[in-house]
Amino acid sequence: MTAVSQSFDGLAVLEDFGLTVNRGEFVSLVGPSGCGKSTILNLVAGFTQPAQGSVKAGGRLVTGPGPERGVCFQQAALFPWLSLIDNVTFGPRARHELDPQRRARAVRLLEEFGLGEFLRHRPAQLSGGMQQRAAIARVLVNEPDVLLMDEPFGALDAQTRLRMQRFLTEVQGEFGCTIVFITHDIDEALLMSDRVLVLSHRPARVVDEIVVDRSQPRTPDYLLTEEFRRHKARAFTALESTFSDRSL
Amino acid sequence: MTTTLRRSRMDGRDDLALRSSAGPAGWTERRVGRLAMGLIVPAVLVLALQVLAGRALLPGGIPAPSVVAETLLRWVAGNPKSSVDLYAGTWWAQVRGSGQRVLLGYLAATAVAVPLGVLVGGNRVAFVALDHVIHALRTVPAPSWVPFSLAVFGLSPLSAIWLIALVAFFPIVVNTVIGVQQVPAIYRDAGRMLGASTFVIWTRVLFPAALPFVFVGLRLGVGMAWIAVVVSELIGVKNGLGYSLYQAYQFGRMDVMVAAMITLGLLGLASDRLVGAIGRSVVGR
């Protein structure tokens, strides 16, 4: 996205904001609440249109939401009246693209995600972590160019969150998808990302960019390494600076 | 590649929320218990009336429950040829007459009210244009539509069906509108993000998401339909439970009047429970 400006009720949320994410990259956006993280994601998703500037994905101008840009919300937002398998095949069915191959792919995804026994269950019968995994499957079945995730693990308990982070890292390793991940949890961002962008209070701008060495195995052990502590300290300093900006 | 994922994949079982329903054991007992509880109040009422009737304390010629029961039995199962009671054995014909009217009117109301409600609830322009119209018409009492129905449809079965449809229409449409309006915006967003067209969003997201409310409307609507059928049978028709009720009044047959009222109440209750059961099986949550 280039030179994007956006404001709500006269409140400038984004001013001349630019961001580029490369194919296959895992980029996290961290920043104080209300800084415009979700606004950025909604623009890329196509839920909202920029007042100024332009948003491009895969070389094409974004004019609305589409299956090539999959979104995972903070709530799993599965359709409660559909079974898991019907939720995951909703996209292909809605686009009249549901064939036996797509269906088999949906089943395979759910099986790989540890949900093979629950194909006929309704979302409400499953735990939050399971719902969130199904939500990821629902998006991946469409083979998106990019996965846009807005604090998808924010509503989960700490244990489940750790396991979901591990899970997402593995999913990215297997599918090689591009991921833009929004969180306010620095640990989470550093654990999974190739690049962590620290955003300022609104109007949001990138105050620091931390590149995480890819070769590191992203297991919870990584949280104990010297490198991780260094990155975390840097991210904290960057975040702190945004608060002093605000109090000026 | 899949092996890396499978190796440490989450098993799923361990964090499955335990929300299994209770087993079949005890189900029948609870069912019977509930039925017994539900019969207490009607039984006490009937008993009290019977005692009062026995001491000639019931005013205005209200018949004793035993008399009503006898009449109802004869009305349902009596032989019209051998009985001196001209109502004997005619109950089914009246039930069929009223039931057909209710069914036709109710189905017509549903066919129009549900799509219209989805449209008004989901589209801003339709809401602004139509919501106040619906609510203005809704408050016009059913009996005041009777002359209108007669003027338009004449003395025909159609005027009765129209009146029933009209009365049942409003609770269905109003609840459908509310149902669609309370659908969380995130479902719409999720649908659009998955590539659903506007039409698919309406039919496969907004409509199913609103179904619990639609069924609230359908339950209220079927009750209203039974109220309306009695009003409708004041005019234009020569059979039905409402017709029998007025006729019985003119013949001074209080027992038949009360039997007709009991029949109407039971049929109303049965259709309410039926729509409720259909709703539960369709909505399933």
Side-chain angles (χ1 to χ4, degrees), chain A residues 36-99:
Chain A
K37 300 187 293 268
S38 294
T39 306
I40 295 168
L41 206 82
N42 284 336
L43 286 163
V44 182
F47 292 137
T48 49
Q49 304 302 317
Q52 276 169 46
S54 62
V55 180
K56 280 186 183 173
R60 275 200 309 268
L61 207 62
V62 171
T63 53
E68 72 281 0
R69 280 161 287 118
V71 183
C72 292
F73 307 92
Q74 183 164 5
Q75 282 85 34
L78 297 168
F79 300 128
W81 58 90
L82 295 179
S83 66
L84 271 203
I85 184 66
D86 287 345
N87 263 290
V88 175
T89 52
F90 181 91
R93 197 182 305 111
R95 302 190 303 274
H96 310 289
E97 289 170 8
L98 187 62
D99 50 28

Side-chain angles (χ1 to χ4, degrees), chain B residues 213-227:
Chain B
F213 281 80
V214 173
F215 271 100
V216 170
L218 288 174
R219 276 183 74 173
L220 293 171
V222 81
M224 296 297 282
W226 280 107
I227 295 174

Side-chain angles (χ1 to χ4, degrees), chain A residues 47 65-67 71 73 78-81 91 95 112 114 122 124-125 127 130 133 138 142 163-164 170 173-174, chain B residues 1-2 5 8-12 14-16 19 186-187 189-190 192-195 200 204-205 208-209 283-284:
Chain A
F47 292 137
V71 183
F73 307 92
L78 297 168
F79 300 128
W81 58 90
R95 302 190 303 274
E112 274 182 36
R122 298 277 176 108
Q125 295 172 287
S127 70
M130 295 167 90
R133 270 180 279 154
R138 168 172 82 165
N142 305 313
R163 302 173 64 197
M164 287 300 289
E170 285 171 3
E174 185 183 335
Chain B
M1 272 185 129
T2 42
L5 194 62
S8 66
R9 70 156 200 223
M10 297 184 183
D11 192 33
D14 48 3
D15 58 342
L16 169 65
R19 294 226 3 218
I186 201 164
Y187 290 156
D189 285 347
R192 292 206 297 154
M193 171 272 290
L194 294 168
V200 171
R204 301 233 191 110
V205 178
V283 176

